[in-house]
Amino acid sequence: MATDKIKLPSKAEMKAALLLSEKKHDGPKDPINPAHYKGDYVMRIIEDFELGFCLGNVIKYILRHQQKAGLEDLKKARWYLDRQIQQMESEKQKGN
C-alpha cells in the first residue's frame, strides 16, 4: 500500500457495501454456498473494499471468532495485522 493510513469504513459504509455486493452477487443458486449458509458475505466485503490478503484475513478471523475458534482466531487476526504493519513499514523505509 502506498499510504501510511488505512481509512476504515464506517458502519454505514460497511452496510452499504454489503447491500451493493448482495446486488452484484444475485446470480444463480450456488449448491456449494446456499443462501441460508451466508458464508460468503465476509469474502464479498474483503473484495469490495480491496483489502488484500493480510487485511482480508484480519477481517475474516475477527468476524468469525465467536462462531469458530474464539481467542485463537483473534490471535490469528493480530498476527496478520502485525504482518501488514511490517510490510507497510518496510515499504515506507524503502521509499525514504
Side-chain angles (χ1 to χ4, degrees):
M1 295 187 141
T3 180
D4 290 340
K5 295 181 181 179
I6 298 171
K7 182 187 176 287
L8 297 176
S10 68
K11 269 189 174 180
E13 289 170 324
M14 292 292 283
K15 285 181 182 180
L18 182 56
L19 288 174
L20 178 63
S21 115
E22 284 174 354
K23 288 179 184 176
K24 283 187 204 175
H25 299 279
D26 279 347
K29 301 276 185 207
D30 183 351
I32 296 171
N33 296 304
H36 69 274
Y37 197 53
K38 298 180 184 178
D40 71 336
Y41 80 97
V42 174
M43 179 178 59
R44 294 191 322 247
I45 290 170
I46 291 166
E47 290 171 349
D48 288 348
F49 283 92
E50 300 176 359
L51 295 177
F53 184 76
C54 286
L55 293 178
N57 275 314
V58 170
I59 298 301
K60 174 184 76 174
Y61 285 120
I62 288 173
L63 291 179
R64 79 174 199 189
H65 83 279
Q66 290 177 320
Q67 289 78 35
K68 193 157 184 196
L71 184 58
E72 181 181 335
D73 276 345
L74 293 177
K75 288 179 179 182
K76 288 177 183 179
R78 181 175 58 191
W79 186 89
Y80 279 106
L81 182 58
D82 288 341
R83 183 169 175 84
Q84 178 69 36
I85 291 168
Q86 290 171 351
Q87 289 172 352
M88 291 176 71
E89 288 174 341
S90 176
E91 288 175 14
K92 184 178 178 181
Q93 287 197 351
K94 287 178 185 176
N96 289 340

